[in-house]
Amino acid sequence: MKELKYLVRPNVWNMKPYSSARDEFQGEATVFLDANENPYNAPFNRYPDPLQWKVKEQIAKLKGIKQESIFLGNGSDEPIDLLIRAFCEPAVDNVVSIDPSYGMYEVAANVNNVEFRKVKLDSQFDLDIEAVLSAIDEQTKVVFFCSPNNPTGNSLTRARLYQILNTFQGIVVIDEAYIDFSSEPSFLSELEQFPNLVVLQTMSKAWGAAGIRMGMAFASLEIIAILNKIKYPYNVNILTQKQALVMLESKAEMERQLRSILAERSRLQEALPQLSCVRKLYPTDANFILTEVTDANAIYKQLVEQGIIVRNRTNVTMCQGCLRITVGTPVENTALLEALKKM
Ligand code: PMP
């Protein structure tokens, strides 16, 4: 990896971050007259902990990593944007990613006026290493991979990700939003080995908390410090921090839901191919299934008419004729299967 100093944008490297009242005093006191807060309406009158230490303590315990290696944000969409802002000089640098994949990498690059280079997956929806490496040049500061990948559902071959980690001199982001549904191990255990690795996870999927907006980035202490330097001072509000803690403390409930979702995924994988409107099911390590159907637009519309919404991916690269179906509750999945039977 290049020295971090030469990867980070010079203005970001040289700037002094905003210092909030809550940064300057942490600890026990009885009278807080430092942050121009209203003294009434406790606890909502107070600014939240800017670095969310209680939540990080719990996540560190669950994942077996250091609290200082964790960045928490307003969904994983926040670290996706911050990584581009920290490392990519607008109109000069570029990011490389795969196609098809999660749409926000490209949106975040576009918002920041950073060139986005898409490399098509191979016919197995896997990384085409040669193509990725040839898309990378001196101005490539960040590469984004998503494994298990959205919308295809498969995990990228681990050995190929190692190849990139070992070759590329910039930042390698592996988005593991769906890792809890996968039998593949996380790349979290590789953080010590690869100083250029950033792993993204989220509470929006397996943890069942998309509404609270809690995304996680895991990386070296140095990379996390850069993200903290440029984030909004109070990027995760009190309500989210509180609710995240409550949910993280009920890991058993998350695991119970996970088992149900995985059992239902298997049921859908058995039932869907037997329907006449289903042409093909792609393998999945996530909580959704990409399926090729006889007429994606018509079937999508007919499902909507029955109040059942799936994601029509027919206009996405390599996904022609495909719907992406999220695994729901047993009742919801039965409703979907019953509706599809008649199409
Ligand atoms: N990464 C991937 C691969 C996703 O599919 C999604 C959401 N669909 C996200 C990140 C965003 O997650 P969050 O809700 O944490 O912003």
Side-chain angles (χ1 to χ4, degrees), residues 222-246:
E222 293 79 10
I223 293 177
I224 295 301
I226 299 284
L227 297 180
N228 284 334
K229 189 175 177 183
I230 63 172
K231 76 181 184 72
Y232 289 163
Y234 304 108
N235 61 325
V236 182
N237 69 69
I238 285 185
L239 299 173
T240 297
Q241 293 193 40
K242 266 190 163 215
Q243 188 59 25
L245 261 183
V246 169

mmCIF file of all heavy atoms in Angstrom, residues 222-246:
data_model
loop_
_atom_site.group_PDB
_atom_site.id
_atom_site.type_symbol
_atom_site.label_atom_id
_atom_site.label_comp_id
_atom_site.label_asym_id
_atom_site.label_seq_id
_atom_site.Cartn_x
_atom_site.Cartn_y
_atom_site.Cartn_z
ATOM 1 N N GLU A 222 -5.581 4.373 11.436
ATOM 2 C CA GLU A 222 -5.236 5.571 10.659
ATOM 3 C C GLU A 222 -6.349 5.940 9.671
ATOM 4 O O GLU A 222 -6.689 7.106 9.526
ATOM 5 C CB GLU A 222 -3.917 5.354 9.894
ATOM 6 C CG GLU A 222 -2.682 5.231 10.773
ATOM 7 C CD GLU A 222 -2.508 3.848 11.420
ATOM 8 O OE1 GLU A 222 -3.251 2.905 11.041
ATOM 9 O OE2 GLU A 222 -1.652 3.712 12.310
ATOM 10 N N ILE A 223 -6.901 4.932 9.006
ATOM 11 C CA ILE A 223 -7.983 5.218 8.053
ATOM 12 C C ILE A 223 -9.231 5.694 8.808
ATOM 13 O O ILE A 223 -9.893 6.657 8.398
ATOM 14 C CB ILE A 223 -8.300 3.976 7.173
ATOM 15 C CG1 ILE A 223 -7.122 3.677 6.259
ATOM 16 C CG2 ILE A 223 -9.579 4.194 6.358
ATOM 17 C CD1 ILE A 223 -7.279 2.422 5.398
ATOM 18 N N ILE A 224 -9.527 5.041 9.922
ATOM 19 C CA ILE A 224 -10.707 5.445 10.720
ATOM 20 C C ILE A 224 -10.524 6.896 11.206
ATOM 21 O O ILE A 224 -11.474 7.692 11.202
ATOM 22 C CB ILE A 224 -10.916 4.481 11.925
ATOM 23 C CG1 ILE A 224 -11.253 3.070 11.423
ATOM 24 C CG2 ILE A 224 -11.994 5.009 12.875
ATOM 25 C CD1 ILE A 224 -12.487 2.940 10.565
ATOM 26 N N ALA A 225 -9.311 7.248 11.588
ATOM 27 C CA ALA A 225 -9.062 8.623 12.061
ATOM 28 C C ALA A 225 -9.336 9.637 10.944
ATOM 29 O O ALA A 225 -9.855 10.727 11.202
ATOM 30 C CB ALA A 225 -7.622 8.748 12.561
ATOM 31 N N ILE A 226 -9.018 9.285 9.712
ATOM 32 C CA ILE A 226 -9.290 10.188 8.574
ATOM 33 C C ILE A 226 -10.800 10.369 8.397
ATOM 34 O O ILE A 226 -11.300 11.484 8.197
ATOM 35 C CB ILE A 226 -8.678 9.612 7.259
ATOM 36 C CG1 ILE A 226 -7.167 9.477 7.363
ATOM 37 C CG2 ILE A 226 -9.099 10.459 6.047
ATOM 38 C CD1 ILE A 226 -6.402 10.767 7.253
ATOM 39 N N LEU A 227 -11.544 9.274 8.476
ATOM 40 C CA LEU A 227 -13.007 9.377 8.323
ATOM 41 C C LEU A 227 -13.598 10.226 9.443
ATOM 42 O O LEU A 227 -14.479 11.064 9.212
ATOM 43 C CB LEU A 227 -13.660 7.990 8.310
ATOM 44 C CG LEU A 227 -13.266 7.060 7.150
ATOM 45 C CD1 LEU A 227 -13.980 5.723 7.264
ATOM 46 C CD2 LEU A 227 -13.585 7.709 5.805
ATOM 47 N N ASN A 228 -13.106 10.021 10.660
ATOM 48 C CA ASN A 228 -13.602 10.822 11.796
ATOM 49 C C ASN A 228 -13.292 12.306 11.612
ATOM 50 O O ASN A 228 -14.051 13.165 12.035
ATOM 51 C CB ASN A 228 -12.982 10.330 13.107
ATOM 52 C CG ASN A 228 -13.620 9.034 13.573
ATOM 53 O OD1 ASN A 228 -14.778 8.751 13.245
ATOM 54 N ND2 ASN A 228 -12.875 8.250 14.334
ATOM 55 N N LYS A 229 -12.183 12.574 10.984
ATOM 56 C CA LYS A 229 -11.751 13.960 10.791
ATOM 57 C C LYS A 229 -12.722 14.741 9.895
ATOM 58 O O LYS A 229 -12.918 15.933 10.074
ATOM 59 C CB LYS A 229 -10.357 13.910 10.141
ATOM 60 C CG LYS A 229 -9.625 15.209 10.045
ATOM 61 C CD LYS A 229 -8.218 14.933 9.499
ATOM 62 C CE LYS A 229 -7.457 16.226 9.325
ATOM 63 N NZ LYS A 229 -6.116 16.001 8.741
ATOM 64 N N ILE A 230 -13.308 14.050 8.898
ATOM 65 C CA ILE A 230 -14.129 14.781 7.921
ATOM 66 C C ILE A 230 -15.633 14.576 8.080
ATOM 67 O O ILE A 230 -16.416 15.176 7.359
ATOM 68 C CB ILE A 230 -13.711 14.449 6.466
ATOM 69 C CG1 ILE A 230 -13.951 12.965 6.152
ATOM 70 C CG2 ILE A 230 -12.256 14.820 6.229
ATOM 71 C CD1 ILE A 230 -13.739 12.646 4.664
ATOM 72 N N LYS A 231 -16.047 13.724 9.021
ATOM 73 C CA LYS A 231 -17.489 13.490 9.182
ATOM 74 C C LYS A 231 -18.153 14.706 9.835
ATOM 75 O O LYS A 231 -17.465 15.551 10.423
ATOM 76 C CB LYS A 231 -17.722 12.248 10.048
ATOM 77 C CG LYS A 231 -17.478 12.468 11.541
ATOM 78 C CD LYS A 231 -17.702 11.194 12.308
ATOM 79 C CE LYS A 231 -17.575 11.396 13.815
ATOM 80 N NZ LYS A 231 -18.669 12.126 14.418
ATOM 81 N N TYR A 232 -19.480 14.794 9.712
ATOM 82 C CA TYR A 232 -20.206 15.789 10.496
ATOM 83 C C TYR A 232 -19.961 15.476 11.972
ATOM 84 O O TYR A 232 -19.935 14.299 12.364
ATOM 85 C CB TYR A 232 -21.716 15.702 10.236
ATOM 86 C CG TYR A 232 -22.166 16.182 8.879
ATOM 87 C CD1 TYR A 232 -23.415 15.832 8.398
ATOM 88 C CD2 TYR A 232 -21.365 16.994 8.093
ATOM 89 C CE1 TYR A 232 -23.860 16.267 7.157
ATOM 90 C CE2 TYR A 232 -21.800 17.433 6.854
ATOM 91 C CZ TYR A 232 -23.044 17.066 6.385
ATOM 92 O OH TYR A 232 -23.476 17.500 5.166
ATOM 93 N N PRO A 233 -19.833 16.513 12.813
ATOM 94 C CA PRO A 233 -19.479 16.255 14.212
ATOM 95 C C PRO A 233 -20.429 15.272 14.919
ATOM 96 O O PRO A 233 -19.985 14.374 15.609
ATOM 97 C CB PRO A 233 -19.556 17.630 14.854
ATOM 98 C CG PRO A 233 -19.318 18.595 13.739
ATOM 99 C CD PRO A 233 -19.876 17.954 12.498
ATOM 100 N N TYR A 234 -21.717 15.454 14.711
ATOM 101 C CA TYR A 234 -22.684 14.582 15.414
ATOM 102 C C TYR A 234 -23.441 13.763 14.383
ATOM 103 O O TYR A 234 -24.650 13.905 14.212
ATOM 104 C CB TYR A 234 -23.641 15.427 16.240
ATOM 105 C CG TYR A 234 -22.943 16.335 17.226
ATOM 106 C CD1 TYR A 234 -22.886 17.707 17.030
ATOM 107 C CD2 TYR A 234 -22.318 15.800 18.352
ATOM 108 C CE1 TYR A 234 -22.246 18.537 17.938
ATOM 109 C CE2 TYR A 234 -21.667 16.616 19.266
ATOM 110 C CZ TYR A 234 -21.627 17.982 19.050
ATOM 111 O OH TYR A 234 -20.995 18.785 19.952
ATOM 112 N N ASN A 235 -22.727 12.889 13.674
ATOM 113 C CA ASN A 235 -23.340 12.212 12.529
ATOM 114 C C ASN A 235 -24.320 11.108 12.890
ATOM 115 O O ASN A 235 -25.107 10.702 12.050
ATOM 116 C CB ASN A 235 -22.252 11.667 11.587
ATOM 117 C CG ASN A 235 -21.353 10.645 12.257
ATOM 118 O OD1 ASN A 235 -21.064 10.758 13.449
ATOM 119 N ND2 ASN A 235 -20.900 9.657 11.522
ATOM 120 N N VAL A 236 -24.268 10.616 14.125
ATOM 121 C CA VAL A 236 -25.242 9.587 14.540
ATOM 122 C C VAL A 236 -26.016 10.114 15.747
ATOM 123 O O VAL A 236 -25.438 10.387 16.800
ATOM 124 C CB VAL A 236 -24.557 8.247 14.882
ATOM 125 C CG1 VAL A 236 -25.592 7.201 15.269
ATOM 126 C CG2 VAL A 236 -23.722 7.743 13.698
ATOM 127 N N ASN A 237 -27.314 10.282 15.583
ATOM 128 C CA ASN A 237 -28.122 10.931 16.621
ATOM 129 C C ASN A 237 -28.355 10.039 17.851
ATOM 130 O O ASN A 237 -28.112 8.827 17.815
ATOM 131 C CB ASN A 237 -29.442 11.429 16.026
ATOM 132 C CG ASN A 237 -30.341 10.277 15.654
ATOM 133 O OD1 ASN A 237 -30.855 9.572 16.508
ATOM 134 N ND2 ASN A 237 -30.508 10.051 14.359
ATOM 135 N N ILE A 238 -28.854 10.666 18.916
ATOM 136 C CA ILE A 238 -29.074 9.955 20.187
ATOM 137 C C ILE A 238 -30.028 8.775 20.035
ATOM 138 O O ILE A 238 -29.790 7.693 20.574
ATOM 139 C CB ILE A 238 -29.679 10.932 21.234
ATOM 140 C CG1 ILE A 238 -28.625 11.883 21.759
ATOM 141 C CG2 ILE A 238 -30.301 10.178 22.400
ATOM 142 C CD1 ILE A 238 -29.139 12.782 22.873
ATOM 143 N N LEU A 239 -31.126 8.980 19.292
ATOM 144 C CA LEU A 239 -32.138 7.918 19.169
ATOM 145 C C LEU A 239 -31.528 6.691 18.509
ATOM 146 O O LEU A 239 -31.761 5.558 18.928
ATOM 147 C CB LEU A 239 -33.332 8.422 18.344
ATOM 148 C CG LEU A 239 -34.066 9.627 18.925
ATOM 149 C CD1 LEU A 239 -35.117 10.131 17.935
ATOM 150 C CD2 LEU A 239 -34.715 9.280 20.248
ATOM 151 N N THR A 240 -30.736 6.919 17.473
ATOM 152 C CA THR A 240 -30.094 5.809 16.752
ATOM 153 C C THR A 240 -29.082 5.092 17.647
ATOM 154 O O THR A 240 -29.045 3.862 17.696
ATOM 155 C CB THR A 240 -29.406 6.345 15.478
ATOM 156 O OG1 THR A 240 -30.415 6.879 14.631
ATOM 157 C CG2 THR A 240 -28.639 5.266 14.754
ATOM 158 N N GLN A 241 -28.285 5.872 18.368
ATOM 159 C CA GLN A 241 -27.279 5.246 19.242
ATOM 160 C C GLN A 241 -27.958 4.376 20.299
ATOM 161 O O GLN A 241 -27.539 3.255 20.574
ATOM 162 C CB GLN A 241 -26.402 6.305 19.909
ATOM 163 C CG GLN A 241 -25.517 7.045 18.918
ATOM 164 C CD GLN A 241 -24.416 7.866 19.570
ATOM 165 O OE1 GLN A 241 -23.805 7.443 20.543
ATOM 166 N NE2 GLN A 241 -24.146 9.048 19.041
ATOM 167 N N LYS A 242 -29.031 4.915 20.881
ATOM 168 C CA LYS A 242 -29.753 4.165 21.933
ATOM 169 C C LYS A 242 -30.342 2.877 21.388
ATOM 170 O O LYS A 242 -30.192 1.802 21.966
ATOM 171 C CB LYS A 242 -30.928 5.020 22.436
ATOM 172 C CG LYS A 242 -30.609 5.848 23.633
ATOM 173 C CD LYS A 242 -31.897 6.441 24.177
ATOM 174 C CE LYS A 242 -31.599 6.889 25.535
ATOM 175 N NZ LYS A 242 -32.310 6.904 26.584
ATOM 176 N N GLN A 243 -31.036 3.008 20.255
ATOM 177 C CA GLN A 243 -31.718 1.837 19.691
ATOM 178 C C GLN A 243 -30.703 0.813 19.192
ATOM 179 O O GLN A 243 -30.913 -0.386 19.327
ATOM 180 C CB GLN A 243 -32.674 2.271 18.577
ATOM 181 C CG GLN A 243 -33.567 1.162 18.050
ATOM 182 C CD GLN A 243 -34.453 0.544 19.130
ATOM 183 O OE1 GLN A 243 -34.760 1.175 20.144
ATOM 184 N NE2 GLN A 243 -34.823 -0.720 18.938
ATOM 185 N N ALA A 244 -29.591 1.278 18.636
ATOM 186 C CA ALA A 244 -28.553 0.349 18.170
ATOM 187 C C ALA A 244 -28.054 -0.489 19.344
ATOM 188 O O ALA A 244 -27.913 -1.709 19.237
ATOM 189 C CB ALA A 244 -27.396 1.117 17.536
ATOM 190 N N LEU A 245 -27.851 0.161 20.484
ATOM 191 C CA LEU A 245 -27.375 -0.563 21.665
ATOM 192 C C LEU A 245 -28.377 -1.623 22.098
ATOM 193 O O LEU A 245 -28.008 -2.770 22.383
ATOM 194 C CB LEU A 245 -27.170 0.416 22.828
ATOM 195 C CG LEU A 245 -25.753 0.894 23.071
ATOM 196 C CD1 LEU A 245 -25.705 1.785 24.295
ATOM 197 C CD2 LEU A 245 -24.801 -0.299 23.253
ATOM 198 N N VAL A 246 -29.654 -1.226 22.138
ATOM 199 C CA VAL A 246 -30.700 -2.186 22.535
ATOM 200 C C VAL A 246 -30.659 -3.402 21.607
ATOM 201 O O VAL A 246 -30.687 -4.554 22.054
ATOM 202 C CB VAL A 246 -32.108 -1.524 22.462
ATOM 203 C CG1 VAL A 246 -33.215 -2.549 22.594
ATOM 204 C CG2 VAL A 246 -32.229 -0.436 23.522
#
